[in-house]
Amino acid sequence: MDFETLVRSEEGWLTRRLSAALGGDVHAAEDLRQETFVRAWRSLPRDLDPHRQRAWLRRTASNLAVDELRRRGRRPTAPLDDAAAAIAHATGAQEPDAAREALAALAAPERLLLLLRYSGGFRHAEIAHLLESSEEAIRKRVGRARRSFLLAYRAARREKSLLVLVVARDESPAPYVSWLQRAGARVRVATDGPTERDLVLTDALVFSGAYRDIHSQLYGERPRALRGNVDLGGDRAELALVQSAVALDVPMVGVCRGHQLLNIASGGDLYQDIVLDGLTASSHDEGQHRVNTDGNTETRRVLGPSLDVESTHHQAIRRLGRHLRVSASSSDGVIEMIERDDRGFMLGLQWHPEINGELGDAVAGALVDAAA
């Protein structure tokens, strides 16, 4: 590709990229674009193929933008409203006023990272170069800043009508919807794989049961007794969502499979089969049985000392995850309920509250109260 053709083909892209990187400063972007072309005229290897020539040009422009931000004291100059809009779009926040409040509430280093990543459009490697850090460290810092923004945004939202997100992969969501609506909640069912962005507008989360087991690779074991058409990719996505919910302290109830995911997300593991693995001789595949709650727990407060529950499972929690406590067990040693001791309201139930009458309704009411 001859030089003039290269310039014409890249002029628009470079202008847009540099303008975004400099917070909408069009004049500075034009200056840097011209400097990019001057450097290319002097130093661009003419024997490169067109793809590599474009890459060289874009890398040079990015480096110039990074240098310009460094000269400005490492502070991007995007207007707060524009920056908040860009960050809100990237994270799924839909209330501009709340997004501005959330951005302004952040510590300056967190705000800088979000402005560079989402308003300026810089890659993690470019931010690492600017801040003289490693790319992996920047990824972690951007992730923490993003979560801080989402927490601040949730607190600043004006829309207060309660919304519960139900994640149901295999089971019909209808019983869960009715169960939550009886408690006064609006309900949205996740039809596609939900992400952390979906949690921004969610006041509470319910993970349903499923016919398929969780892939044992999630807790470091080879499959020995798994049932159903296990889906490692889908399980990883759901595990990531549970971890995000924990990080954002979104009130949550995990039912059966969701109960097990909460334990794995906290660092625990499972019995792949409670009978084959020697936990109990009693099958919990179907039917009703009694569980006893532990004192001084949210479970005891909501459900009382003992209850009869409906369950259908052949797996159960083995090693308990971090920051979890057992809040109910059956007489044969199966962990029937857990709760996080470092979060506002986060319960795991090995049984099905959506079909368990008044006791199940009490769980839904407690979730709604916590979310409200």
Side-chain angles (χ1 to χ4, degrees), residues 293-312:
T293 63
D294 287 2
N296 196 30
T297 62
E298 186 71 11
T299 298
R300 171 65 67 87
R301 183 188 70 80
V302 173
L303 299 176
S306 64
L307 60 152
D308 293 322
V309 301
E310 294 282 348
S311 68
T312 170

Side-chain angles (χ1 to χ4, degrees), residues 138-182:
I138 290 299
R139 286 184 184 277
K140 292 179 180 179
R141 289 174 60 188
V142 168
R144 289 194 293 268
R146 187 173 186 269
R147 287 195 171 95
S148 294
F149 171 79
L150 293 178
L151 284 169
Y153 174 78
R154 285 172 57 81
R157 283 171 47 204
R158 304 298 189 271
E159 174 57 61
K160 299 303 182 184
S161 56
L162 188 68
L163 176 66
V164 180
L165 179 68
V166 173
V167 181
R169 288 180 67 189
D170 292 338
E171 291 188 333
S172 168
Y176 295 94
V177 173
S178 299
W179 170 60
L180 292 165
Q181 287 176 339
R182 288 198 299 273

Side-chain angles (χ1 to χ4, degrees), residues 283-289 310-313:
S283 170
H284 285 237
D285 271 343
E286 60 182 348
Q288 192 175 81
H289 60 279
E310 294 282 348
S311 68
T312 170
H313 65 97

Side-chain angles (χ1 to χ4, degrees), residues 42-58:
R42 292 173 178 170
S43 306
L44 174 65
R46 296 301 196 268
D47 58 344
L48 294 178
D49 61 55
H51 176 75
R52 291 179 181 274
Q53 286 183 340
R54 283 193 293 271
W56 190 98
L57 203 66
R58 295 181 179 191

